[in-house]
Amino acid sequence: MADVARLAGVSPALVSIVMRGVPGASADTRTRIKSIAEGIGYVPDRRAQKLRQTSSRLLGVMFDLQQPFHGDLVEHIYEAASRHGYDVMLSAVAPSRSEGSAVQAILRERCEAAILIGSRLTAAELDKLASKTSVVEVLRSSSVDSIGAVRSDDAAGTESAVDHLVGLGHTSIAHIDGGFSPGADGRRRGFLDAMHRHGLDARVTPGGVTETDGAEGMKLLLATGVRPTAVVAFNDNSATGVLDHLIRRGIDVPGDISVVGYDDSRLARIAHIQLTSVSQDVEALADAAVENALRRIAGEVASEVVLAPNLVLRATSGPPAP
């Protein structure tokens, strides 16, 4: 900034006024200072600006690098935050980086709120975090009164998948679950309730959130000797693992086994996959997460928003073989 001021023959304070876009400089002066700044490659230090501000206008978002649906959510959270005049700071969870590390990075950046996508933090850890900043959980119910939550009705989503498959004529349907992942209990419960409602035996096989988990779950189902005619996977990631294993075994989808995923992520829409999947309405989730975070920043009581999912039909589900 001092270099720009020297070249323009003005004070650093005037350069600051121009760069911050506040009143106090003529149009000609603004044009000249911005031209000089651009010419020497000057970029305002946004972090320094935030340190001087009472409000950082920054939302921290924690997400899992390995989950495609989390990436979809982040994309729309950027859009929703921008509409409210906020920036977004991302902090990723990865095999080499824990949730604790991701959360600490959000706190260090003075974010006004933390939006946690698919968090596995305990109630005690969440309560401690809520004492330091406003918190909203996404894709999971909140176990702490002071924390907001935004999620889909996971039980209803899986029920809709079962109803679709039963409507096609399937009676032997299995669920590869999500283990202890956020949302897994609701999706497992929805599957069991729907199967019992239709008077069918419910088969639940341990799974998880990754392609490997889905492939292993499908391998276990085939090893029982009683092959299902349809499978509902915990998420799209798991479902792609199911598809890969079936293809490698020479089993046709959906001719021999139908497959349904969950999330309707970008994976489901890939041309050579075209996965039938339960959509969580990513835009509505992102909008609700940002709005919930802003309400918490304003001091409003924490609330839980539950959105209705819907089934998107594609190429991986069809009637069972005669």
Short mmCIF file of all heavy atoms in Angstrom, two decimals, residues 171-201:
data_model
loop_
_atom_site.label_atom_id
_atom_site.label_comp_id
_atom_site.label_asym_id
_atom_site.label_seq_id
_atom_site.Cartn_x
_atom_site.Cartn_y
_atom_site.Cartn_z
N THR A 171 -39.06 -58.31 -4.50
CA THR A 171 -39.41 -58.78 -3.16
C THR A 171 -38.17 -59.14 -2.34
O THR A 171 -38.25 -59.27 -1.12
CB THR A 171 -40.34 -60.01 -3.23
OG1 THR A 171 -39.68 -61.03 -4.00
CG2 THR A 171 -41.67 -59.65 -3.88
N SER A 172 -37.03 -59.32 -3.01
CA SER A 172 -35.78 -59.62 -2.32
C SER A 172 -34.85 -58.41 -2.44
O SER A 172 -34.14 -58.25 -3.44
CB SER A 172 -35.12 -60.86 -2.96
OG SER A 172 -33.88 -61.15 -2.32
N ILE A 173 -34.91 -57.55 -1.43
CA ILE A 173 -34.18 -56.28 -1.45
C ILE A 173 -33.24 -56.23 -0.25
O ILE A 173 -33.63 -56.55 0.88
CB ILE A 173 -35.14 -55.08 -1.40
CG1 ILE A 173 -36.19 -55.21 -2.51
CG2 ILE A 173 -34.38 -53.76 -1.53
CD1 ILE A 173 -37.33 -54.20 -2.39
N ALA A 174 -32.00 -55.80 -0.48
CA ALA A 174 -31.01 -55.70 0.59
C ALA A 174 -30.55 -54.25 0.74
O ALA A 174 -30.60 -53.47 -0.21
CB ALA A 174 -29.81 -56.60 0.32
N HIS A 175 -30.09 -53.93 1.94
CA HIS A 175 -29.55 -52.60 2.23
C HIS A 175 -28.11 -52.74 2.69
O HIS A 175 -27.81 -53.47 3.64
CB HIS A 175 -30.37 -51.91 3.32
CG HIS A 175 -29.84 -50.57 3.73
ND1 HIS A 175 -29.46 -49.60 2.84
CD2 HIS A 175 -29.62 -50.04 4.98
CE1 HIS A 175 -29.05 -48.52 3.49
NE2 HIS A 175 -29.12 -48.77 4.79
N ILE A 176 -27.18 -52.07 1.98
CA ILE A 176 -25.80 -51.97 2.44
C ILE A 176 -25.70 -50.67 3.20
O ILE A 176 -25.80 -49.59 2.61
CB ILE A 176 -24.81 -51.99 1.25
CG1 ILE A 176 -24.96 -53.31 0.49
CG2 ILE A 176 -23.37 -51.81 1.74
CD1 ILE A 176 -24.11 -53.41 -0.76
N ASP A 177 -25.56 -50.75 4.52
CA ASP A 177 -25.72 -49.56 5.36
C ASP A 177 -24.45 -48.72 5.46
O ASP A 177 -23.42 -49.04 4.87
CB ASP A 177 -26.26 -49.94 6.74
CG ASP A 177 -25.23 -50.63 7.64
OD1 ASP A 177 -24.03 -50.68 7.27
OD2 ASP A 177 -25.62 -51.09 8.73
N GLY A 178 -24.56 -47.63 6.23
CA GLY A 178 -23.44 -46.70 6.36
C GLY A 178 -22.68 -46.83 7.65
O GLY A 178 -21.93 -45.90 8.03
N GLY A 179 -22.84 -47.95 8.35
CA GLY A 179 -22.11 -48.14 9.61
C GLY A 179 -22.51 -47.09 10.64
O GLY A 179 -23.69 -46.92 10.95
N PHE A 180 -21.52 -46.36 11.16
CA PHE A 180 -21.77 -45.34 12.18
C PHE A 180 -21.75 -43.93 11.59
O PHE A 180 -21.66 -42.95 12.32
CB PHE A 180 -20.73 -45.45 13.29
CG PHE A 180 -20.77 -46.77 14.02
CD1 PHE A 180 -19.84 -47.76 13.75
CD2 PHE A 180 -21.75 -47.02 14.97
CE1 PHE A 180 -19.88 -48.99 14.41
CE2 PHE A 180 -21.80 -48.24 15.64
CZ PHE A 180 -20.87 -49.22 15.36
N SER A 181 -21.85 -43.82 10.28
CA SER A 181 -21.79 -42.51 9.63
C SER A 181 -23.05 -41.70 9.93
O SER A 181 -24.12 -42.27 10.18
CB SER A 181 -21.66 -42.68 8.12
OG SER A 181 -20.53 -43.45 7.80
N PRO A 182 -22.94 -40.35 9.92
CA PRO A 182 -24.11 -39.51 10.09
C PRO A 182 -25.18 -39.86 9.06
O PRO A 182 -24.89 -39.98 7.87
CB PRO A 182 -23.57 -38.09 9.86
CG PRO A 182 -22.13 -38.19 10.24
CD PRO A 182 -21.70 -39.56 9.80
N GLY A 183 -26.41 -40.05 9.50
CA GLY A 183 -27.51 -40.40 8.61
C GLY A 183 -27.74 -41.88 8.46
O GLY A 183 -28.79 -42.31 7.97
N ALA A 184 -26.76 -42.71 8.89
CA ALA A 184 -26.88 -44.15 8.68
C ALA A 184 -28.04 -44.75 9.47
O ALA A 184 -28.77 -45.62 8.95
CB ALA A 184 -25.57 -44.85 9.06
N ASP A 185 -28.23 -44.31 10.71
CA ASP A 185 -29.32 -44.86 11.53
C ASP A 185 -30.68 -44.59 10.89
O ASP A 185 -31.53 -45.47 10.81
CB ASP A 185 -29.29 -44.25 12.93
CG ASP A 185 -28.17 -44.83 13.79
OD1 ASP A 185 -27.64 -45.89 13.42
OD2 ASP A 185 -27.82 -44.21 14.81
N GLY A 186 -30.88 -43.35 10.42
CA GLY A 186 -32.16 -43.00 9.81
C GLY A 186 -32.42 -43.79 8.54
O GLY A 186 -33.54 -44.26 8.31
N ARG A 187 -31.41 -43.94 7.70
CA ARG A 187 -31.59 -44.67 6.45
C ARG A 187 -31.83 -46.16 6.71
O ARG A 187 -32.64 -46.80 6.03
CB ARG A 187 -30.38 -44.46 5.54
CG ARG A 187 -30.25 -43.02 5.12
CD ARG A 187 -29.02 -42.73 4.29
NE ARG A 187 -28.76 -41.28 4.29
CZ ARG A 187 -27.80 -40.69 3.62
NH1 ARG A 187 -26.98 -41.40 2.86
NH2 ARG A 187 -27.65 -39.37 3.69
N ARG A 188 -31.13 -46.69 7.69
CA ARG A 188 -31.34 -48.10 8.06
C ARG A 188 -32.75 -48.30 8.60
O ARG A 188 -33.44 -49.26 8.25
CB ARG A 188 -30.29 -48.50 9.10
CG ARG A 188 -30.22 -49.97 9.42
CD ARG A 188 -28.92 -50.32 10.13
NE ARG A 188 -28.54 -49.32 11.12
CZ ARG A 188 -27.38 -48.65 11.09
NH1 ARG A 188 -26.49 -48.88 10.15
NH2 ARG A 188 -27.10 -47.76 12.03
N ARG A 189 -33.19 -47.38 9.45
CA ARG A 189 -34.54 -47.47 10.03
C ARG A 189 -35.61 -47.36 8.94
O ARG A 189 -36.60 -48.09 8.94
CB ARG A 189 -34.73 -46.37 11.07
CG ARG A 189 -36.08 -46.43 11.80
CD ARG A 189 -36.17 -45.41 12.90
NE ARG A 189 -36.19 -44.03 12.38
CZ ARG A 189 -35.18 -43.18 12.45
NH1 ARG A 189 -34.05 -43.56 13.00
NH2 ARG A 189 -35.29 -41.96 11.95
N GLY A 190 -35.40 -46.45 8.00
CA GLY A 190 -36.37 -46.29 6.92
C GLY A 190 -36.47 -47.54 6.07
O GLY A 190 -37.57 -47.93 5.64
N PHE A 191 -35.34 -48.18 5.81
CA PHE A 191 -35.33 -49.43 5.03
C PHE A 191 -36.11 -50.51 5.75
O PHE A 191 -36.99 -51.17 5.17
CB PHE A 191 -33.90 -49.88 4.79
CG PHE A 191 -33.80 -51.22 4.09
CD1 PHE A 191 -33.99 -51.31 2.72
CD2 PHE A 191 -33.53 -52.37 4.82
CE1 PHE A 191 -33.91 -52.55 2.08
CE2 PHE A 191 -33.45 -53.60 4.19
CZ PHE A 191 -33.65 -53.70 2.81
N LEU A 192 -35.81 -50.70 7.03
CA LEU A 192 -36.48 -51.75 7.81
C LEU A 192 -37.98 -51.49 7.90
O LEU A 192 -38.79 -52.41 7.72
CB LEU A 192 -35.87 -51.81 9.22
CG LEU A 192 -34.41 -52.29 9.30
CD1 LEU A 192 -33.88 -52.12 10.71
CD2 LEU A 192 -34.30 -53.74 8.85
N ASP A 193 -38.36 -50.25 8.16
CA ASP A 193 -39.80 -49.91 8.28
C ASP A 193 -40.53 -50.18 6.97
O ASP A 193 -41.64 -50.73 6.96
CB ASP A 193 -39.97 -48.45 8.68
CG ASP A 193 -39.57 -48.17 10.12
OD1 ASP A 193 -39.39 -49.15 10.87
OD2 ASP A 193 -39.45 -46.99 10.49
N ALA A 194 -39.92 -49.79 5.85
CA ALA A 194 -40.57 -49.97 4.56
C ALA A 194 -40.71 -51.45 4.21
O ALA A 194 -41.75 -51.89 3.71
CB ALA A 194 -39.80 -49.24 3.47
N MET A 195 -39.67 -52.21 4.45
CA MET A 195 -39.72 -53.64 4.15
C MET A 195 -40.78 -54.34 4.99
O MET A 195 -41.56 -55.17 4.48
CB MET A 195 -38.35 -54.27 4.38
CG MET A 195 -37.27 -53.82 3.40
SD MET A 195 -37.59 -54.31 1.69
CE MET A 195 -37.19 -56.07 1.77
N HIS A 196 -40.85 -53.99 6.27
CA HIS A 196 -41.87 -54.59 7.14
C HIS A 196 -43.26 -54.16 6.73
O HIS A 196 -44.21 -54.95 6.78
CB HIS A 196 -41.59 -54.22 8.60
CG HIS A 196 -40.32 -54.80 9.12
ND1 HIS A 196 -39.62 -54.27 10.20
CD2 HIS A 196 -39.59 -55.88 8.71
CE1 HIS A 196 -38.54 -55.01 10.42
NE2 HIS A 196 -38.50 -55.98 9.53
N ARG A 197 -43.40 -52.92 6.30
CA ARG A 197 -44.70 -52.42 5.84
C ARG A 197 -45.19 -53.20 4.63
O ARG A 197 -46.39 -53.42 4.46
CB ARG A 197 -44.59 -50.92 5.54
CG ARG A 197 -45.82 -50.28 4.94
CD ARG A 197 -45.80 -48.77 5.06
NE ARG A 197 -44.53 -48.18 4.67
CZ ARG A 197 -44.16 -47.94 3.41
NH1 ARG A 197 -44.98 -48.26 2.43
NH2 ARG A 197 -42.99 -47.38 3.15
N HIS A 198 -44.26 -53.61 3.79
CA HIS A 198 -44.63 -54.39 2.60
C HIS A 198 -44.67 -55.90 2.89
O HIS A 198 -44.93 -56.70 1.97
CB HIS A 198 -43.63 -54.12 1.47
CG HIS A 198 -43.76 -52.78 0.85
ND1 HIS A 198 -44.84 -52.41 0.06
CD2 HIS A 198 -42.96 -51.68 0.91
CE1 HIS A 198 -44.69 -51.15 -0.35
NE2 HIS A 198 -43.55 -50.69 0.16
N GLY A 199 -44.42 -56.28 4.15
CA GLY A 199 -44.47 -57.69 4.52
C GLY A 199 -43.31 -58.50 3.97
O GLY A 199 -43.44 -59.71 3.70
N LEU A 200 -42.13 -57.85 3.79
CA LEU A 200 -40.97 -58.52 3.21
C LEU A 200 -39.85 -58.67 4.24
O LEU A 200 -39.73 -57.87 5.17
CB LEU A 200 -40.45 -57.70 2.02
CG LEU A 200 -41.43 -57.48 0.87
CD1 LEU A 200 -40.83 -56.52 -0.14
CD2 LEU A 200 -41.79 -58.81 0.21
N ASP A 201 -39.04 -59.71 4.06
CA ASP A 201 -37.87 -59.89 4.92
C ASP A 201 -36.83 -58.82 4.58
O ASP A 201 -36.56 -58.55 3.40
CB ASP A 201 -37.26 -61.27 4.71
CG ASP A 201 -38.16 -62.38 5.24
OD1 ASP A 201 -38.95 -62.10 6.15
OD2 ASP A 201 -38.07 -63.51 4.72
#
